[in-house]
Amino acid sequence: MPIKASRVRFWLLDINFEMRLGTPEIWLWGTCNGERILLLEREFKPYFYLVISEEPRSVLPALRSESQKLGERVEFQPLERNFFGRPVKVIKVICTNPETMGNLAQRLSKVKGIDESLEDDIRLSTRYLIDTGVTPCSWHVADVRRAENPPEVIADKVYSLVGPPEKLDEGGLPDLRIMSFHVVSLGGSGSLQQGKEPLAVISVDGSLKRPRQFFKGDGEDREALASFIKYVKEYDPDIIAGYGANQGIWQAIMYRAQHRGLKLTVDRAFSEPHSSLYGHISITGRVGLDLIDVAKEMPSLDVERLDYFARYLGLSVKEELMDFEEADLSDLWASGDKKPVLKYSAQNAQIIAEAAEFLLVFLTQFSDLVKLPLDHVVAAAVGFRVESYLMAFAHKAGELIPKRIGRDYAPYAGGLVLNPKPGMHKDIAVIDFTSMYPNLMIKFNISPDTYAEEPAKDLNVAPEVGYGFRKSPDGFYKQALRSLVSARRDLVAKLKGLGPATTEHKLLEARQRAVKIITNAMYGYCGWVGARWYAKPVAEATAAWGRSVILRTIGLAKSAGLEVIYGDTDSIFLRNDPAKIAKVLSDVGEEIGLEARPEKVYRKLLFTEAKKKYCGLLSTGEIDIVGLEAVRGDWAGVAKRAQTKLIEIILREEDVEKATAFMRQFVAQVLKGDVPKRDLVIWKTLTKPTEEYEVKAPHVEAARIMKEKGWQPNVGDKIGYIVVKGDGKLYQRVRPFAFMKGFEPDYIYYVQNQVVPAAARVLSIYNVDESSLIA
DNA sequence: GCCTTATGTATACCA
DNA sequence: ACTGGTATACATAAGGCG
């Protein structure tokens, strides 16, 4: 019977692998022209490498017999590869079962003549992406035929791949179906504990269908859950977005479904959401996005509250719908006043859908660049994103991928920070080096594979630390960085010719941003002990070159007759004398061979003795606050607001009297209790389970109280607490901000330990005493 | 036992 | 679960005193 072949074009949404009919099968979920398709690949075989120091024929018989003993059908291919820049002889071991591959590799690596096994720790779906160049969130064409024995899935068509898909050089997104969801459960106090309590309401939204809400009637939540599952099937979303979804919301829903005898088949393969590689919940055939992961990476958000996040993205939020604590949701619901709860949840679902839509371009570009599926790229830590990029890059360069191994933490010296000249400075220019570390790594060819352990000719030798790096050939990091830097240059050049509001512009701008992030993370990655391409000398030498560059720049500034007021790692602060600055910049280019640029100019700039903390009035008229309490998330709003106002008075009006008077009045107001409660909340991150803390701490104590009340604070959550009146240590006087009933804020604490120290930090320059603020 | 000082733990920031 | 450098607060241990 002739096999009808055809060609399909698709955008890759998700990839997974299944053992089916005894064979590993790669599943590619694609979308195109409004159709959802599943492409099956049954021919792709798992494999790994054995590094040998002898001739292949002397080890092959032993390898054959060992694999026979294990009952594995394998094929051996002697090959040449590079490992850390050195040519190595390897045997590629192609096997059949990815699940037993690790064990096989371990056994075969013990055979005499085998040095080690490599790449046996790479998952099959990752392997497939690396080897074929197939890329998530990117367009492809593929030759396909109708699948025989297609699996039971939700898809318009199921095909078998005739060969690997070919990646197309096309940008743009297909029409993706985004669905969002938000859940309110009836825990003891409105929390999503372990799903022990019924769900009050599940809200869904998205651009495709009208928003809906499924809620519990008088009885239980079975109906709501069943309707939710049905709705997802009808909607058939490509992306399911939630907020905190990976941190208990899916678990709670799953628990409830199980409790009510329902199977939570919200994926495209009639199975249930399951936990995946980066601690996230994976939904086969769809992309499960937890936007809280995105929020946690936004440094300007003190607290990852959904409404703050939404406002930060520029989305409109109806404040009146958020006007109660989450802790009160349960009571409200129980009191029969369900309307505000429903409205609140509906708005949240709407915000999540809008945020997902807003972020989609950037996230898909990021996924495409580093070759991690969309749900993975959002959930994965920075180091794994860089690593994913490098793994694909290594394969293209014929380099073997090092194993992930456990190492002990090994610190080294980093950037140089100068002592600031305290006081008020006028007309100060900041010059800094553009992408200093990446450029140093390129310039001196700093890479694990160019590192010369023995002294040799023609090396770049790092100052202070003395590590040598071969000048040629180009090292692995240099190749990767150069490709990133040139990609970014091209993108930026293309952007200039485009209208700012066009789809193309948006796409390239997002791409450019993704490239920049990976470029700048490369140095940190190479000094991370968990990195596959970890090399301490690389990180250490880069930092040492950085220190020498900044020191030499200081020298050049001084010879040009400029006073250096401050400097940190890759920047120096100088008197803004344009002619002299220009001289310094050209000297830097000539003598150091790196680009430094004037970054900004301060009309006025204020330093205390402390490093990394200052504030200034920029030439643009803006106030810039760096490192001070006003920009720290772990200070109460009262202190931050007071300090900000104070800084404005001092910088704009230079009136210390007025500033002091303002502070006195502010302090009096706080002592009267005339301050919004939310300005008293102090937020701190719970960095480990409460039991693991060695000393008592206020936010840990607050988290413990939350637990008692039925809440489940997770590691990584920010705990908001208020200091209340009472006796004992500070940690004995805190309440989670949502549980203030019967407690009164300790305004004296807020004055003495928050407002006054924050103000004094700035006023101390003018010899204003702390006590004079309390009068 | 009480007070003062030194040290350690914890967090968030800057680059 | 990318790096080191830095400031700061509070808890706790250690030291001093009588």
Side-chain angles (χ1 to χ4, degrees):
Chain A
M1 207 166 34
I3 299 166
K4 259 202 215 154
S6 57
R7 225 165 144 73
V8 293
R9 178 174 166 275
F10 69 97
W11 190 87
L12 182 60
L13 184 73
D14 188 26
I15 177 170
N16 61 286
F17 112 83
E18 305 273 322
M19 287 301 283
R20 205 167 67 91
L21 313 167
T23 306
E25 203 167 68
I26 308 274
W27 290 16
L28 302 178
W29 298 87
T31 169
C32 179
N33 296 337
E35 280 200 327
R36 301 304 181 267
I37 61 172
L38 172 62
L39 306 169
L40 307 175
E41 172 60 83
R42 293 176 65 82
E43 304 299 317
F44 190 75
K45 297 224 172 77
Y47 69 84
F48 60 93
Y49 296 100
L50 294 170
V51 181
I52 52 174
S53 42
E54 309 175 21
E55 284 308 308
R57 64 184 139 76
S58 61
V59 292
L60 280 173
L63 291 176
R64 281 207 187 91
S65 86
E66 184 66 20
S67 37
Q68 240 157 34
K69 245 191 272 172
L70 291 164
E72 294 271 359
R73 272 189 300 123
V74 292
E75 187 191 328
F76 298 106
Q77 282 180 3
L79 293 167
E80 306 262 308
R81 286 282 186 276
N82 287 312
F83 192 43
F84 284 104
R86 291 209 183 95
V88 286
K89 274 187 264 187
V90 296
I91 292 173
K92 183 175 177 179
V93 184
I94 303 160
C95 49
T96 49
N97 187 349
E99 284 158 346
T100 57
M101 186 176 80
N103 183 49
L104 176 65
Q106 214 192 353
R107 295 288 288 269
L108 294 188
S109 62
K110 294 209 177 89
V111 167
K112 194 171 166 291
I114 306 297
D115 295 345
E116 60 179 327
S117 69
L118 284 173
E119 305 201 5
D120 52 297
D121 58 348
I122 294 174
R123 292 153 49 103
L124 193 66
S125 53
T126 308
R127 177 89 271 167
Y128 183 79
L129 295 177
I130 290 175
D131 286 34
T132 58
V134 169
T135 306
C137 298
S138 183
W139 291 98
H140 305 79
V141 293
D143 291 322
V144 296
R145 56 185 158 73
R146 266 282 155 76
E148 293 165 54
N149 300 311
E152 238 192 282
V153 294
I154 299 171
D156 296 309
K157 299 215 174 71
V158 181
Y159 298 109
S160 283
L161 282 160
V162 173
E166 185 191 330
K167 184 171 160 30
L168 297 169
D169 188 22
E170 282 177 41
L173 288 177
D175 280 329
L176 292 169
R177 298 204 281 258
I178 300 176
M179 189 199 96
S180 67
F181 73 109
H182 178 264
V183 174
V184 176
S185 91
L186 297 181
S189 14
S191 74
L192 287 165
Q193 316 171 46
Q194 285 84 32
K196 300 275 187 318
E197 300 294 326
L199 304 179
V201 53
I202 308 173
S203 306
V204 290
D205 208 334
S207 53
L208 202 70
K209 292 179 80 152
R210 292 229 317 239
R212 287 277 301 276
Q213 293 193 293
F214 312 105
F215 49 91
K216 140 181 192 303
D218 296 330
E220 31 94 336
D221 50 2
R222 189 176 200 284
E223 269 310 299
L225 284 158
S227 308
F228 171 66
I229 297 167
K230 188 160 164 266
Y231 181 89
V232 177
K233 281 184 185 156
E234 284 168 12
Y235 198 114
D236 191 22
D238 300 307
I239 294 172
I240 301 183
Y243 200 79
N246 292 338
Q247 296 174 356
I249 295 181
W250 275 123
Q251 277 96 331
I253 298 177
M254 277 189 275
Y255 182 94
R256 293 307 304 169
Q258 197 186 15
H259 191 65
R260 293 298 170 201
L262 293 164
K263 194 172 179 198
L264 195 65
T265 49
V266 291
D267 70 353
R268 283 176 165 152
F270 302 102
S271 55
E272 299 186 88
H274 52 278
S275 54
S276 185
L277 203 55
Y278 299 104
H280 65 286
I281 302 294
S282 193
I283 303 163
T284 305
R286 311 192 198 277
V287 175
L289 280 191
D290 189 349
L291 298 185
I292 208 167
D293 290 336
V294 180
K296 288 204 162 149
E297 286 185 40
M298 296 184 160
S300 43
L301 283 181
D302 292 351
V303 196
E304 299 86 22
R305 267 180 50 167
L306 180 53
D307 51 337
Y308 294 177
F309 173 65
R311 262 201 301 269
Y312 180 74
L313 296 181
L315 306 175
S316 73
V317 178
K318 286 195 191 112
E319 204 52 57
E320 67 273 17
L321 301 185
M322 314 296 271
D323 200 22
F324 47 82
E325 305 296 354
E326 282 201 36
D328 301 332
L329 288 171
S330 235
D331 294 345
L332 268 172
W333 187 269
S335 75
D337 192 8
K338 297 175 180 174
K339 250 201 180 137
V341 180
L342 291 173
K343 281 187 176 171
Y344 162 81
S345 181
Q347 164 158 283
N348 281 338
Q350 186 193 337
I351 289 173
I352 293 167
E354 288 172 4
E357 183 84 44
F358 179 86
L359 293 164
L360 196 61
V361 172
F362 174 71
L363 296 179
T364 51
Q365 282 302 311
F366 212 164
S367 160
D368 178 350
L369 176 72
V370 305
K371 296 190 172 7
L372 281 174
L374 187 52
D375 53 344
H376 289 225
V377 82
V378 171
V382 178
F384 294 100
R385 296 176 190 161
V386 173
E387 190 148 278
S388 175
Y389 176 84
L390 287 178
M391 282 161 71
F393 194 87
H395 186 265
K396 278 187 280 181
E399 273 280 329
L400 292 168
I401 298 167
K403 272 213 164 83
R404 176 176 301 292
I405 51 174
R407 299 184 187 89
D408 285 336
Y409 171 62
Y412 62 90
L416 187 68
V417 190
L418 305 183
N419 274 313
K421 301 226 157 95
M424 165 91 80
H425 304 272
K426 303 273 171 83
D427 203 22
I428 299 298
V430 182
I431 68 171
D432 64 20
F433 284 87
T434 44
S435 308
M436 183 196 246
Y437 286 162
N439 282 321
L440 285 170
M441 292 170 86
I442 291 172
K443 183 175 166 68
F444 296 113
N445 204 22
I446 315 170
S447 190
D449 46 318
T450 56
Y451 172 51
E453 288 181 52
E454 304 295 329
K457 278 200 301 182
D458 241 17
L459 297 180
N460 290 316
V461 178
E464 290 183 69
V465 292
Y467 298 123
F469 298 88
R470 285 184 284 278
K471 292 182 178 169
S472 68
D474 286 353
F476 180 59
Y477 278 124
K478 179 170 178 173
Q479 292 172 46
L481 283 167
R482 250 221 322 251
S483 128
L484 286 164
V485 167
S486 88
R488 179 138 185 272
R489 200 184 301 125
D490 294 350
L491 287 164
V492 172
K494 264 194 212 162
L495 273 171
K496 281 189 180 139
L498 289 170
T502 58
T503 312
E504 178 80 353
H505 188 282
K506 209 177 154 191
L507 210 72
L508 296 182
E509 198 281 326
R511 178 100 188 163
Q512 165 291 115
R513 229 171 342 128
V515 172
K516 186 179 175 185
I517 288 170
I518 293 301
T519 310
N520 290 339
M522 205 67 83
Y523 155 76
Y525 170 83
C526 77
W528 170 41
V529 289
R532 289 177 190 267
W533 279 278
Y534 168 76
K536 192 180 156 195
V538 168
E540 206 174 352
T542 306
W545 257 303
R547 290 193 297 274
S548 107
V549 160
I550 209 73
L551 279 171
R552 287 166 67 196
T553 308
I554 292 166
L556 293 172
K558 283 184 178 161
S559 350
L562 284 171
E563 185 192 6
V564 179
I565 278 108
Y566 178 63
D568 185 348
T569 312
D570 62 353
S571 69
I572 56 171
F573 291 50
L574 304 168
R575 180 121 292 126
N576 184 29
D577 181 329
K580 289 179 180 169
I581 298 258
K583 167 90 170 100
V584 174
L585 293 179
S586 78
D587 286 353
V588 164
E590 241 167 70
E591 293 187 28
I592 299 177
L594 289 176
E595 188 197 29
R597 272 195 223 162
E599 182 65 24
K600 49 190 173 182
V601 172
Y602 290 104
R603 294 213 277 258
K604 295 173 196 170
L605 181 61
L606 204 62
F607 274 112
T608 66
E609 284 88 22
K611 297 167 171 180
K612 295 183 186 277
K613 286 172 194 272
Y614 53 91
C615 56
L617 176 62
L618 288 163
S619 55
T620 56
E622 285 166 300
I623 298 275
D624 190 23
I625 303 179
V626 180
L628 291 164
E629 286 76 5
V631 295
R632 289 182 62 102
D634 57 347
W635 281 73
V638 268
K640 297 171 61 162
R641 286 222 328 256
Q643 196 188 48
T644 304
K645 185 81 210 250
L646 178 72
I647 286 170
E648 286 194 357
I649 296 173
I650 287 182
L651 286 173
R652 290 195 196 281
E653 305 178 44
E654 287 186 59
D655 188 341
V656 178
E657 276 304 309
K658 184 174 172 185
T660 316
F662 161 75
M663 282 313 306
R664 283 207 197 98
Q665 172 270 322
F666 192 95
V667 163
Q669 203 182 323
V670 174
L671 284 175
K672 272 192 290 177
D674 183 10
V675 52
K677 198 179 96 182
R678 81 153 82 94
D679 277 358
L680 299 175
V681 180
I682 296 166
W683 295 94
K684 275 200 168 80
T685 307
L686 199 64
T687 58
K688 50 190 167 190
T690 51
E691 321 81 68
E692 286 177 22
Y693 279 84
E694 288 182 38
V695 290
K696 302 272 189 183
H699 69 299
V700 181
E701 209 50 25
R704 234 183 26 70
I705 298 173
M706 286 168 74
K707 262 195 210 163
E708 272 169 25
K709 301 271 177 186
W711 280 53
Q712 191 193 24
N714 293 303
V715 170
D717 283 357
K718 292 220 166 79
I719 310 295
Y721 64 89
I722 289 181
V723 178
V724 299
K725 286 181 181 157
D727 295 319
K729 298 269 192 192
L730 180 62
Y731 67 83
Q732 293 166 316
R733 297 191 285 121
V734 298
R735 300 289 303 170
F737 80 99
F739 299 98
M740 284 293 288
K741 231 168 259 171
F743 291 90
E744 221 194 315
D746 181 359
Y747 296 106
I748 295 174
Y749 169 84
Y750 283 94
V751 167
Q752 280 186 342
N753 298 59
Q754 293 279 326
V755 176
V756 168
R761 193 90 53 219
V762 177
L763 286 172
S764 65
I765 304 169
Y766 299 98
N767 297 315
V768 177
D769 194 62
E770 286 201 15
S771 57
S772 69
L773 301 175
I774 308 174

